[in-house]
Amino acid sequence: MEKLKIVFMGTPDFAVPSLKLLIEECDVKAVLTQPDRPKGRGKMVAMSPVKELAVEYNIPVYQPIRLRKEQEIIDKIKEIEPDFIVVVAFGQILSKEVLDIPKYGCINLHGSLLPRFRGAAPVNYAVMAGDKVSGNTTMLMDEGLDTGDMLLKNEVEIDDEMTAGELYDKLMQTGAPLLLDTLNKLVNNEIVKEKQDDTLTCYAHLLNRDMANIDWNKSAYEIHNFIRGLNPFPIAYSYYNDKMMKVLKSKVLEEKTNKEPGTILKVNKDGIRVATNDGVLLIIKVQFPNKKALEVSEYIKGNTIEENIILHC
């Protein structure tokens, strides 16, 4: 049996395990990824993780700024006559012309149990919402944003301490076999497509640093989810004596207080106890400007954090 002909579209590390598995099991004819961009403190122009893997396997790479406007690349995809176009975190919406190219359709792997979270940051929003379960969904793409018919799903449990980064890593690994299973079952007519219920969806907007400011008037549980949902990016923060204090790890305590939300109640090797709207949150790991991220137990060995200071926006 001939291997499935694939055109793969993806950009970040999340897409790498999927591309690697498809290279092993299918015939990946071309890879599309976002243009090389400056990266890191030195702002050196760097390839995307997907491009790095494609180059390693000598697969042709195309980097459209906006695919729907670049007819030459679209024509190259048509020449390939792929069985599938596979999309994993590509970063561009496909036009109907592109969606209509492959024999069996364009398949997207999405890091959320659709229709729960559509959009750019479903992993973070699942953690911030306090969800106990997330997962991957494969879908048959249409012209909308994550609105296509659902195909297969798998689930990953989220415990109360898991960060968005940890969930991301799990979904990245479990998504690849789900994607391959989807392609094989579609070819053999073994999947019943399921339409999404638009009334059950939330939109997971792109994350930015402006939205990472901690609101201490929320509950300890909400703030804890906010902190782990924004780890490792953009990282939640508050201001201590007008200095930005990033908060990377926390814990909800079974304690109550009548102090104003944001008030530092106690500082010791366990962490920084802070009043919230309904109780107390323990900050365990922090990072101050131009300093390394440290456990509070380490930070206070050479620095002082005063009690009764009110953390603010």
Side-chain angles (χ1 to χ4, degrees), residues 83-87 94 98-110 114 118 137-153 179 182-183 186-187 189 191-196:
D83 293 308
F84 289 101
I85 290 176
V86 174
V87 180
L94 305 188
V98 174
L99 292 171
D100 289 342
I101 293 174
K103 180 178 179 181
Y104 295 105
C106 294
I107 307 303
N108 175 235
L109 172 68
H110 184 72
L114 288 171
R118 296 173 181 167
T137 304
T138 52
M139 77 179 107
L140 186 63
M141 296 177 70
D142 59 19
E143 292 181 84
L145 181 59
D146 302 329
T147 55
D149 290 348
M150 299 178 291
L151 301 171
L152 296 180
K153 296 181 182 182
L179 180 57
T182 299
L183 302 186
L186 275 173
V187 170
N189 293 312
I191 295 179
V192 177
K193 302 167 196 169
E194 181 185 355
K195 289 204 172 296
Q196 295 190 47

Side-chain angles (χ1 to χ4, degrees), residues 135-281:
N136 292 294
T137 304
T138 52
M139 77 179 107
L140 186 63
M141 296 177 70
D142 59 19
E143 292 181 84
L145 181 59
D146 302 329
T147 55
D149 290 348
M150 299 178 291
L151 301 171
L152 296 180
K153 296 181 182 182
N154 60 16
E155 294 187 351
V156 170
E157 291 187 6
I158 307 173
D159 65 45
D160 288 342
E161 306 306 318
M162 182 182 282
T163 65
E166 291 165 343
L167 177 58
Y168 179 97
D169 289 345
K170 284 196 172 186
L171 294 176
M172 178 170 65
Q173 297 301 329
T174 58
L178 181 74
L179 180 57
L180 181 61
D181 192 29
T182 299
L183 302 186
N184 290 329
K185 285 183 175 176
L186 275 173
V187 170
N188 294 314
N189 293 312
E190 296 173 358
I191 295 179
V192 177
K193 302 167 196 169
E194 181 185 355
K195 289 204 172 296
Q196 295 190 47
D197 184 345
D198 293 341
T199 65
L200 300 177
T201 195
C202 302
Y203 186 72
H205 293 276
L206 196 64
L207 301 174
N208 61 68
R209 288 185 173 85
D210 292 339
M211 51 115 20
N213 206 327
I214 298 170
D215 181 359
W216 294 103
N217 289 298
K218 293 187 175 180
S219 72
Y221 184 65
E222 286 176 299
I223 297 169
H224 173 65
N225 292 341
F226 185 74
I227 290 166
R228 62 196 184 97
L230 296 182
N231 184 347
F233 178 84
I235 303 181
Y237 66 88
S238 196
Y239 284 95
Y240 168 80
N241 282 342
D242 296 325
K243 283 196 295 188
M244 179 184 283
M245 179 178 74
K246 294 182 178 179
V247 182
L248 292 90
K249 189 176 180 181
S250 61
K251 181 181 179 180
V252 178
L253 300 180
E254 296 296 324
E255 297 178 12
K256 297 295 180 184
T257 179
N258 56 8
K259 293 281 190 176
E260 180 181 343
T263 302
I264 295 176
L265 305 171
K266 187 175 182 181
V267 182
N268 59 23
K269 62 181 178 59
D270 294 331
I272 306 167
R273 281 171 165 78
V274 184
T276 69
N277 183 53
D278 71 340
V280 178
L281 185 78

Side-chain angles (χ1 to χ4, degrees), residues 112-126:
S112 165
L113 293 177
L114 288 171
R116 174 75 167 126
F117 288 110
R118 296 173 181 167
V123 176
N124 304 83
Y125 279 77

Side-chain angles (χ1 to χ4, degrees), residues 285-311:
K285 191 173 185 179
V286 296
Q287 183 176 17
F288 284 90
N290 303 314
K291 303 290 185 181
K292 291 192 299 184
L294 291 172
E295 301 276 331
V296 171
S297 58
E298 289 297 311
Y299 182 80
I300 61 176
K301 287 179 179 178
N303 302 275
T304 300
I305 294 180
E306 298 178 44
E307 297 176 1
N308 295 314
I309 295 289
I310 298 176
L311 300 175

